[in-house]
Amino acid sequence: MWDFSVTKRDVQPSFGRVPAPGQRVAKSWFTQHYGPVPRFHPGRWEFRVFGATAIPRKHVLTFKEFQKLPTSRLSGDIHCVTKWTWPNNNWGGVLVSTLLDIAPPAADVTHVMVWAEYGYSANLRISDVMSGQAIFATHNHGEQLSPEHGFPLRLVVPHLYGYKGPKWVRGIEYMVGDRRGFWEERGYHNLGEVRRERRYSYEEDPGEGPDF
Ligand SMILES: Nc1nc2c(c(=O)[nH]1)N[C@H]1C(S)=C(S)[C@@H](COP(=O)(O)O)O[C@H]1N2
Ligand SMILES: [Mo]
């Protein structure tokens, strides 16, 4: 049983607000990524939905087609495992759940891999992206994302650490089992929930706890 007294840190029940467990609020929005910032080629850009789709075919959307998808908003922080948090965001874009409705996964899909430029990837449980708590963001506070922050498209999943939110997203793969993504293969936690401080897979895991 998860007992909050085992951690010395000040665990906030509302992890969506800062301070989240073990985090500090940054004074400016840092950029954090591996490798260079890719150039955007609108004519060549496409978004691929592939893997275990309900209808056994690939869905490929051009940038124009992607821009016609129904948009939504989502507020939520970026929490980097290195302990900075960038709060008070108002993301605009396409909810992952909207895309799941438009290009449904097969019934036995349990996980997704979100793919980005240069082969960056992050694996997520389907339950983490299903019901409107994850967004393929194009905007923050009504402004287009800058290239450094993922223009034209990035994933934001506020209840998971930042590495679960690829910048420069190019597609989603539906999976019938789990596979580790880029940072998950390199020691970052496979699940990465902020409220449970699941940062690195070699750290002692507090185990399953209550949802609050
Ligand atoms: N393509 C790509 N996306 C990425 C990363 C990366 O290395 N490559 N790093 C992740 C990490 S560790 C964090 S904390 C966030 C940071 O987002 P920001 O640079 O917009 O603040 O981006 C995530 N998305
Ligand atoms: Mo990060």
Side-chain angles (χ1 to χ4, degrees):
M1 185 66 187
W2 171 235
D3 176 3
F4 289 120
S5 62
V6 301
T7 150
K8 289 180 202 75
R9 296 193 192 96
D10 182 22
V11 178
Q12 299 287 317
S14 51
F15 75 96
R17 276 179 241 138
V18 285
Q23 296 293 113
R24 291 214 186 115
V25 181
K27 289 208 172 64
S28 62
W29 188 5
F30 297 146
T31 63
Q32 189 127 340
H33 55 262
Y34 179 81
V37 174
R39 273 197 63 182
F40 173 54
H41 304 278
R44 270 189 264 153
W45 191 96
E46 54 181 33
F47 186 94
R48 301 200 314 139
V49 184
F50 63 105
T53 49
I55 307 156
R57 67 173 176 86
K58 248 181 1 194
H59 303 259
V60 182
L61 298 168
T62 65
F63 191 59
K64 280 205 176 119
E65 287 167 340
F66 197 93
Q67 283 178 307
K68 288 188 190 134
L69 296 177
T71 57
S72 306
R73 288 181 178 282
L74 179 70
S75 62
D77 312 327
I78 291 189
H79 301 285
C80 180
V81 283
T82 64
K83 302 198 167 179
W84 59 264
T85 287
W86 183 238
N88 306 324
N89 302 290
N90 184 357
W91 307 103
V94 178
L95 291 175
V96 179
S97 53
T98 301
L99 197 80
L100 293 174
D101 288 341
I102 291 166
D108 51 353
V109 166
T110 55
H111 294 77
V112 299
M113 190 74 82
V114 173
W115 289 97
E117 302 282 354
Y118 302 132
Y120 184 87
S121 60
N123 57 317
L124 300 122
R125 295 177 293 192
I126 191 96
S127 58
D128 279 321
V129 295
M130 236 167 31
S131 45
Q133 73 277 44
I135 191 165
F136 288 117
T138 55
H139 291 73
N140 191 5
H141 296 298
E143 273 179 36
Q144 202 166 62
L145 295 174
S146 67
E148 302 75 43
H149 287 303
F151 173 81
L153 191 67
R154 76 170 300 158
L155 182 67
V156 180
V157 193
H159 68 285
L160 303 179
Y161 286 115
Y163 62 92
K164 292 287 189 185
K167 303 191 273 191
W168 316 297
V169 167
R170 292 292 297 275
I172 185 167
E173 178 186 356
Y174 297 154
M175 308 197 292
V176 292
D178 199 7
R179 237 167 52 222
R180 285 176 178 260
F182 182 88
W183 285 121
E184 293 84 358
E185 273 186 336
R186 289 162 177 80
Y188 283 50
H189 199 281
N190 194 43
L191 300 174
E193 302 109 305
V194 174
R195 67 163 178 265
R196 290 177 189 152
E197 292 209 83
R198 286 177 157 161
R199 297 169 194 271
Y200 305 103
S201 36
Y202 51 80
E203 278 182 346
E204 198 187 328
D205 194 296
E208 289 297 319
D211 287 334
F212 53 79

